[in-house]
Amino acid sequence: MSTKPVIGTDKRLTERQDLWWLEPLLVAVVLTSFVIYTIWAVLQRSDFHFGPYTSPFYSIPFTSAEKLEWLPFSPAFLVIWIPIGFRATCYYFRRNMYRAFFWDPPACWVAEPKRSYSGERKFPFVLNNLHRYFWYLAVFALFFHIYEAGKAFFFEDGFGMGLGTLIMLLDVTFLSLYIFSCHSWRHLAGGCLNCFSKHKGRYTLWQRISQLNEQHGLWFWLSLMTVWVTDIYIRLLSKGILTDVRFF
Amino acid sequence: MSTVTFKVFRGDQNGGELQDYTVEVQEGMVVLDVIHKIQAEQAPDLAVRWNCKAGKCGSCGAEVNGKPTLMCMTRLDTIDTSKPVTVRPMKTFPVIRDLATDVKWNYEANKKIKPFAPAPNTNWVMFQEDVDRVQEFRKCIECFLCQNTCHVLREHGEKTGFIGPRLLVRTASLEMHPLDVENRLDMLKNEGGIGYCNITKCCTEVCPEHIHITDNAIIPLKERVVDEYYDPVLRFFRRLFGSKKRPELSQAADD
């Protein structure tokens, strides 16, 4: 049986007339900027703390980054691999990564560079199958983000709320939505079952996660932006460039 | 009434080229109407496969301005007709003639999927919540636009080690069926080639039935493959407490 597409041998890139290149370009620019900023912020080892606020990059479980000054490397390295691993293996991120950075494909119905392709069958992309393990770790790390957001209410002069508190609250809210709308979590919570009627509780949970999961991409971007903004805001406060706004 | 130029592929398995046809179009027309008008007035030998003109038979798949679509569901007011409109056959499959392609590879690849296998003496009562997921997959009209769109088939021509999104949806409809006891995970990992899918979601974008192919079929199947082959902790617990799929019943069903 011949499966050879006769018109598949032509040299057309695409006949799409819309701005198909815009989305992968924007994704590549934003993600590259975020990665460069994160590397810079992690290597700084300073200005990650102001008053009750701590940058999410330096949210270390069971201790604080200040107590780890003696480490020969930035204490942020102790935790930063967890969100990096979780995001890098995320099903939504993979779609964007393959489109923007590997052009596999750059956009739908657009020709891609002719080279060997093994998808996610071989190293390194087969490691994406470890996503659920990063999900477990991300939930663990999230609790410490929530703890840091709670601490942001307790100023030197007592209980209060500032713009930094609000930003940190938004950060943990969007991080929670992102983590708990995860495809792997959806599967583990109930998607792996074939007979929902015998597991009513897990079926209800699966339905709720499925609703959240429909906006998984939105939660990905919002949580990325709020992490970014939170670190920038705390860094600017710490450097004395900005003054925190206190609501009460 | 206005005049629009259509560049339509004319050719067969030996090759071909785009030919220009100038057509007077009316409000409400779809691309398939234009192709029929060209057939009626200018090129009676123009080959096109069609049937229902209602987006339900899945016959008239083609690429309009580079986008895989059903011609009967593509209204002219949704595309830019100020420039020539290109109509080509589906790129992934061999051309029989003009806009008609040979899609029989899909039916051959379908043979890799083990059929529905209920346990012996099955109680056939099912609850709606058990079949909701499967019913979404049953909406598929087998237009094969998703197969045409998938870059693994379209760009890399991987037709021996990968079954494509349509057949992954079919596998999902069987794997998630509450009464099925067959295990298709080995097929998915190996000859089904689910690992080739890198979740770029183009199949979902193109589905005329709006099936959430990637989120509801392919990713859940990938997770089931992870359960079986890439999660040693879960595998340990499954061996401890027993698999949910019962191979002995599956064997009995085969018999």
Side-chain angles (χ1 to χ4, degrees), chain A residues 5-6 12 15 91 99 104 108 112 117 120 132-133 183-184 186-187 191-194 196-197 200, chain B residues 13 65 86 88 91 129-130 133 151 156 195-196 198 200 202 215-216 222-224 227 231 244:
Chain A
V6 172
R12 289 173 296 138
E15 281 172 349
Y91 284 102
R99 286 191 185 195
D104 263 337
C108 300
E112 53 194 81
Y117 173 81
E120 300 187 331
R132 64 180 56 174
Y133 285 100
H183 290 85
S184 286
R186 183 182 180 221
H187 170 77
C192 57
L193 302 169
N194 289 342
F196 282 137
S197 57
K200 296 284 188 188
Chain B
Q13 59 266 52
N65 282 343
T86 307
R88 288 182 184 267
K91 182 179 175 180
E129 60 261 39
D130 292 332
R133 281 186 298 182
H151 74 119
H156 301 287
Y196 277 113
N198 63 350
T200 48
C202 295
D215 287 316
N216 289 352
K222 273 181 171 268
E223 285 294 319
R224 286 176 184 226
D227 285 348
D231 190 337
K244 72 182 169 194

Side-chain angles (χ1 to χ4, degrees), chain B residues 34-57:
Chain B
V34 173
I35 296 298
H36 283 162
K37 198 166 164 65
I38 292 170
Q39 264 186 337
E41 297 172 358
Q42 302 180 54
D45 59 341
L46 174 61
V48 59
R49 187 184 287 123
W50 68 283
N51 193 350
C52 73
K53 286 188 76 177
K56 287 296 167 195
C57 73

Side-chain angles (χ1 to χ4, degrees), chain A residues 12 21 29 31 35 69 85 90 122 156 160 174 206 217 238 245:
Chain A
R12 289 173 296 138
W21 46 267
V29 168
L31 288 178
V35 168
E69 287 291 323
C90 164
K122 291 182 181 170
E156 281 183 2
F174 289 130
W206 177 82
S238 179
V245 179

Side-chain angles (χ1 to χ4, degrees), chain A residues 1-18 23 89-99 102-122 125-133 136 182-188 190-200 203 206-207 210 213-214 216-217, chain B residues 9 12-16 18 63 65-68 80 83-95 102 104-105 108 127-130 132-133 148-149 151-159 161 175-178 180 188-190 192-203 205-206 214-216 219-220 222-224 226-227 230-234 244-245:
Chain A
M1 177 180 63
S2 171
T3 57
K4 187 174 173 236
V6 172
I7 58 165
T9 55
D10 62 43
K11 304 295 183 200
R12 289 173 296 138
L13 180 64
T14 184
E15 281 172 349
R16 284 181 65 166
Q17 296 175 351
D18 58 343
E23 186 195 318
T89 57
C90 164
Y91 284 102
Y92 176 78
F93 173 80
R94 277 141 76 177
R95 167 191 180 272
N96 288 306
M97 174 186 71
Y98 291 121
R99 286 191 185 195
F102 294 94
W103 290 16
D104 263 337
C108 300
W109 328 304
V110 177
E112 53 194 81
K114 296 298 174 198
R115 57 173 183 245
S116 66
Y117 173 81
S118 56
E120 300 187 331
R121 289 162 64 92
K122 291 182 181 170
F125 297 121
V126 73
L127 296 178
N128 285 320
N129 290 310
L130 298 176
H131 184 53
R132 64 180 56 174
Y133 285 100
Y136 301 139
C182 167
H183 290 85
S184 286
W185 167 231
R186 183 182 180 221
H187 170 77
L188 293 166
C192 57
L193 302 169
N194 289 342
C195 220
F196 282 137
S197 57
K198 293 177 183 168
H199 305 270
K200 296 284 188 188
Y203 175 53
W206 177 82
Q207 283 181 309
S210 297
N213 179 262
E214 286 177 16
H216 192 52
Chain B
F9 179 84
D12 55 24
Q13 59 266 52
N14 299 313
L18 294 176
E63 301 191 3
N65 282 343
K67 180 181 180 182
D80 181 5
K83 291 183 276 192
V85 177
T86 307
V87 184
R88 288 182 184 267
M90 292 193 285
K91 182 179 175 180
T92 300
F93 304 111
V95 175
D102 182 355
K104 71 173 173 242
W105 170 81
E108 292 297 324
F127 294 90
Q128 186 58 45
E129 60 261 39
D130 292 332
D132 273 340
R133 281 186 298 182
N148 177 50
T149 291
H151 74 119
V152 180
L153 301 170
R154 183 184 179 93
E155 295 295 323
H156 301 287
E158 185 51 70
K159 291 199 177 80
E175 274 295 295
M176 295 176 191
H177 197 288
D180 180 79
L188 281 171
K189 181 173 183 286
N190 297 305
I194 195 169
Y196 277 113
C197 171
N198 63 350
I199 329 155
T200 48
K201 281 198 167 183
C202 295
C203 50
E205 287 185 28
V206 84
T214 318
D215 287 316
N216 289 352
I219 292 176
K222 273 181 171 268
E223 285 294 319
R224 286 176 184 226
V226 173
D227 285 348
Y230 299 102
D231 190 337
V233 177
L234 195 68
K244 72 182 169 194
K245 288 275 183 182

